[in-house]
Amino acid sequence: MTQHTERFDTIVVGAGIAGLTAARLLARAGQRVVVFEARDRVGGRVHSERVAGRVTDLGASWIHGITDSPVHVATQALGMPDVEFTMGSFQAGGKPVAYYGPDAVRLSDAAAESFIADVAACDARLADVIAGIAHGCSYADAVEEALAELGWHADRAERVREYLRHRTEEQYGAWIDDLDAHGLDDDAVEGDEVVFPQGYDRLASGLAAGLDIRRETPVSAVTWATNGGVTVRTSGNEYAADHAVVTVPVGVLKSDAFVIDPPLPDPVAGALDRLEMNAFEKVFLRFPERFWDENVAAIRRQGEAGSWWHSWYDVTAAHGEPTLLTFAAGPCARVIRDWPEGQVVDSVMGALREIFGDAIPAPVASHVTHWQDDPWSRGSYAYMTVGSVPADHEVLATPLGGVLHLAGEATWEDDPATVTAALGSGHRAAERILGTEIPIDRLVA
């Protein structure tokens, strides 16, 4: 039998960046706030592993553009050193990239520059196509229309087509036919991208300092009333508050394990229905020595051989030893989901040996993530299915009854699927509850 034990001004569900941001701002405004977190740690999908002196960001890694970034302001205020690595948004150029053709031979500088120029030309055409495309078209539909208008020969078009397919997978963990044509509308980076050699989770621990956080306390139900107030149920207890901020990922929101009563009304329910959790995993390989060129930020393989393993990023500067990062995304991530880690590593190494030869060393350490199997996320982040519109992100954050607020990366239109989105959505929820603007620098001042 449940018992009413405590009452709060606001209950926050989830101690990821969105939840911690909202809770911290509300607490600093004088509210009595509690955060319920299902995991035994804070950070949510910001998760840094520390083993044998190595720090590995298993979830979020990058700030995708530090210009005017509130996340960068926070990380700097918390004294978090960062390393510039402007490749996290799958650029074709910018940083030096070693491109290897379908024959596993590295492209000449001239051939690589020509390919990069082709990607830029297609992107420019693609922007116009997407601006005028019919509702309900996929990103693949838009790409095909743009390529048709460019009129390139088959091989030239195929190289760009596969690049755009891989960009879709790496940006949203979705197959190109499953992503709405507008699913990459937010794909822009302002300023350098940076990563964190001491772990991105220092942001979460910094925001969590001083808050009332109940770890290992999953929430099973949130009841909200149009006449005011919310009730939050955990295992064996109920808690009451004037407001609730629910920051669980889309994968949890759509599951039977998490109940909102009464159910989300339209248009919020429709917006949620059109968003889906992705399949996106990281594969880290640490080596005893570097076997790739020192002057490249990434290695990319073109052609059919690169269908799964096509891009490797040199993250040595952030990890302190020769390290490559690749991604299993979309169909690949779903197929390897149940593979033992050794089988995944062997598959990736097979692709690297096609390029660099059989004599390259085996990795001394590896890590493959399993966000698809995490019951508290059920994937890495959300993407727009075909038929969704960018505004669905904002619609999902519509306050309900003046008491229930959804927040998290999926509820932010300008830059969804990022820590920036999570932080921004938590800030917005706090402002809506307090009914006043809150300077974002108050978060870490």
Side-chain angles (χ1 to χ4, degrees), residues 162-349:
E162 70 188 11
Y163 172 85
L164 295 173
R165 182 168 66 243
H166 297 329
R167 184 170 69 185
T168 302
E169 292 170 333
E170 282 207 7
Q171 292 299 86
Y172 276 98
W175 182 244
I176 194 168
D177 291 295
D178 298 331
L179 183 72
D180 189 83
H182 293 278
L184 284 171
D185 282 4
D186 60 279
D187 189 35
V189 172
E190 300 294 335
D192 289 340
E193 296 179 289
V194 297
V195 294
F196 300 92
Q198 294 183 6
Y200 211 164
D201 70 342
R202 285 187 55 190
L203 172 62
S205 59
L207 295 180
L211 295 177
D212 180 359
I213 301 173
R214 316 283 175 92
R215 295 169 175 81
E216 297 183 270
T217 308
V219 169
S220 58
V222 176
T223 302
W224 58 284
T226 55
N227 60 353
V230 293
T231 300
V232 171
R233 185 178 307 121
T234 65
S235 57
N237 289 293
E238 286 185 352
Y239 302 86
D242 297 325
H243 297 270
V245 181
V246 173
T247 71
V248 300
V250 160
V252 177
L253 273 180
K254 298 181 77 165
S255 74
D256 293 336
F258 191 87
V259 176
I260 294 179
D261 183 33
L264 298 176
D266 279 325
V268 177
L272 176 61
D273 186 57
R274 291 185 290 272
L275 297 172
E276 197 63 63
M277 215 61 178
N278 67 5
F280 185 78
E281 308 294 353
K282 291 182 170 184
V283 181
F284 291 93
L285 300 175
R286 299 174 186 259
F287 295 94
E289 61 191 34
R290 184 195 302 268
F291 55 83
W292 59 95
D293 292 341
E294 289 196 33
N295 63 340
V296 299
I299 303 156
R300 291 218 170 108
R301 177 71 187 273
Q302 298 177 327
E304 184 64 26
S307 294
W308 276 15
W309 314 115
H310 50 76
S311 299
W312 295 265
Y313 299 91
D314 183 353
V315 292
T316 301
H319 290 257
E321 61 185 318
T323 305
L324 292 176
L325 166 65
T326 190
F327 300 102
C332 171
R334 297 188 193 284
V335 172
I336 71 164
R337 182 173 181 174
D338 297 323
W339 286 13
E341 182 161 310
Q343 185 177 355
V344 177
V345 172
D346 287 346
S347 181
V348 176
M349 289 301 299

Side-chain angles (χ1 to χ4, degrees), residues 57 61-63 81-85 193-198 315 317-318:
D57 275 325
S61 298
W62 275 272
I63 296 179
D82 56 51
V83 174
E84 186 269 328
F85 195 86
E193 296 179 289
V194 297
V195 294
F196 300 92
Q198 294 183 6
V315 292

